[in-house]
């Protein structure tokens, strides 16, 4: 018999630390692979490519801290304003996730992040672009300067701002809603994500994640969402090869990203701290 629980809050400390840790670990792996790839394809640039590694790692560290802390902060705030996400567990298997509530909260967090990024870009981006335009003009690159000027005009148009803001919310809402429905279908067929949980005071700690089930679930979700996106692109004028490439890319990326994330979590959780969430019995 499945037990239904309400996801009340996320522990900001543990969420930021483990999320950033996973991002940095994956960034290290990716930067090494990129460097090796550059070394194989272009050996003369191998020494230069090594300098890319610290840039990627430091960038992932800084972005990870911001992303996970702010996402957790916004979630805890919104969980007091909206209907909370409900989850159902059968032993350690996550057999169901509430769909509309999940999509609403994640889409709202995305909307807030887009607004913040846009506000920052409004202050900083014009300064950078104007400086670049001046440099190009002095360098005789009038055509490039004019193109950048046109880009700045488009960016500042009200219709662009409206599309950016509402588009980010609507697209995220629809795709998360579909993804949650797909997950519930997958879980009902015996492929639910398995989490090993334990109680720590008033919080529930995630001790480990079953890598295979986690990867399979996100592979299917990624494949279906990529198929939907690919069909939209074909209707918009793209060729069928774009659809096939999109679906294959979604499946491969979904599996690799999910497997790496779960493996990194299992490796790091005992060392830097497990993710803690507040689950309330309903």
């Amino acid at each position: 018999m499945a037990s239904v629980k309400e996801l009340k809050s996320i522990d900001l400390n543990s969420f930021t630390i483990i999320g950033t840790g996973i991002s940095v670990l994956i960034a290290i792996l990716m930067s090494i692979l990129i460097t090796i790839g550059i070394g194989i394809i272009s050996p003369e640039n191998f020494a230069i490519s090594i300098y890319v590694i610290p840039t990627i790692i430091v960038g992932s560290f800084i972005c990870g801290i911001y992303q996970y802390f702010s996402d957790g902060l916004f979630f805890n705030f919104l969980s007091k304003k909206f209907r909370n996400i409900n989850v159902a567990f059968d032993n350690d298997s996550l057999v169901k996730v509430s769909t509309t509530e999940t999509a609403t909260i994640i889409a709202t967090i995305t909307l807030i992040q887009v607004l913040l990024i846009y506000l920052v870009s409004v202050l900083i981006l014009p300064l950078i672009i104007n400086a670049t335009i001046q440099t190009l003009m002095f360098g005789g690159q009038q055509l490039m300067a004019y193109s950048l000027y046109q880009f700045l005009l488009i960016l500042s148009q009200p219709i662009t701002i409206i599309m950016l803001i509402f588009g980010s919310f609507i697209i995220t809402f629809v795709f998360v809603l579909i993804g949650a429905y797909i997950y519930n279908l997958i879980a009902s067929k015996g492929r639910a994500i398995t989490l090993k949980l334990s109680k720590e005071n008033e919080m529930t700690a995630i001790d480990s994640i079953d890598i295979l089930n986690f990867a399979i679930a996100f592979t299917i979700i990624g494949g279906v969402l990529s198929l939907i996106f690919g069909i939209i692109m074909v209707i918009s004028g793209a060729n069928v090869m774009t659809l096939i490439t999109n679906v294959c890319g979604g499946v491969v990326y979904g599996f690799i990203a999910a497997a790496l994330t779960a493996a990194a979590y299992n490796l790091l959780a005992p060392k830097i701290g497990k993710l803690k969430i507040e689950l309330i019995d309903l």
Side-chain angles (χ1 to χ4, degrees):
M1 184 70 177
S3 61
V4 181
K5 299 177 183 290
E6 182 182 282
L7 179 54
K8 194 74 174 175
S9 67
I10 298 171
D11 178 67
L12 281 181
N13 247 6
S14 64
F15 187 55
T16 304
I17 291 170
I18 192 67
T20 304
I22 291 171
S23 296
V24 170
L25 185 60
I26 293 177
I28 292 171
L29 177 61
M30 291 298 103
S31 60
I32 291 172
L33 291 176
I34 290 170
T35 302
I36 293 173
I38 292 173
I40 294 172
I41 296 170
S42 179
E44 64 274 11
N45 293 321
F46 179 74
I48 298 174
S49 68
I50 293 177
Y51 292 102
V52 174
I53 294 179
T55 304
I56 295 174
I57 294 171
V58 173
S60 298
F61 178 74
I62 295 170
C63 291
I65 290 175
Y66 168 77
Q67 179 190 341
Y68 290 103
F69 181 81
S70 60
D71 283 351
L73 187 68
F74 296 144
F75 178 88
N76 291 343
F77 173 77
L78 294 172
S79 66
K80 297 180 177 66
K81 307 296 179 182
F82 298 162
R83 291 181 61 186
N84 283 332
I85 296 171
N86 293 337
V87 291
F89 284 94
D90 186 359
N91 293 322
D92 289 333
S93 296
L94 179 61
V95 295
K96 193 171 184 180
V97 178
S98 57
T99 52
T100 307
E101 293 82 0
T102 303
T104 301
I105 288 182
I106 293 178
T108 305
I109 291 172
T110 302
L111 175 61
I112 295 171
Q113 294 284 27
V114 168
L115 284 171
L116 290 174
I117 292 170
Y118 181 79
L119 289 173
V120 172
S121 67
V122 164
L123 297 174
I124 297 175
L125 193 60
L127 297 176
I128 297 173
I129 291 179
N130 282 329
T132 306
I133 289 173
Q134 294 297 325
T135 303
L136 290 171
M137 291 290 288
F138 283 122
Q141 300 293 327
Q142 283 81 6
L143 182 60
M144 183 67 73
Y146 178 73
S147 299
L148 274 175
Y149 175 72
Q150 291 294 104
F151 172 74
L152 189 59
L153 285 180
I154 293 171
L155 191 66
S156 60
Q157 292 296 316
I159 188 65
T160 304
I161 300 169
I162 293 170
M163 288 176 63
L164 179 70
I165 293 172
F166 288 99
S168 65
F169 179 86
I170 293 169
I171 292 171
T172 304
F173 180 87
V174 171
F175 274 69
V176 172
L177 185 69
I178 294 171
Y181 272 114
I182 295 169
Y183 176 77
N184 290 341
L185 181 62
I186 296 168
S188 69
K189 302 300 181 183
R191 280 296 180 182
I193 294 172
T194 303
L195 306 172
K196 187 177 180 183
L197 306 175
S198 63
K199 292 293 291 185
E200 290 192 11
N201 299 321
E202 299 299 319
M203 306 295 283
T204 299
I206 301 176
D207 296 329
S208 64
I209 303 170
D210 182 276
I211 298 174
L212 182 59
N213 281 357
F214 193 77
I216 289 173
F218 278 93
T219 299
I220 296 171
I221 293 170
V224 174
L225 293 180
S226 298
L227 175 62
I228 294 170
F229 186 70
I231 291 171
I232 294 172
M233 290 178 66
V234 169
I235 294 172
S236 301
N239 55 42
V240 179
M241 185 55 65
T242 303
L243 171 63
I244 296 171
T245 304
N246 205 61
V247 174
C248 292
V251 169
V252 172
Y253 176 78
F255 182 85
I256 293 174
L260 282 176
T261 300
Y265 182 89
N266 293 343
L267 177 66
L268 293 175
K271 297 176 174 61
I272 63 175
K274 306 164 189 174
L275 172 60
K276 300 179 184 69
I277 53 178
E278 184 182 6
L279 293 175
I280 307 296
D281 290 322
L282 294 178

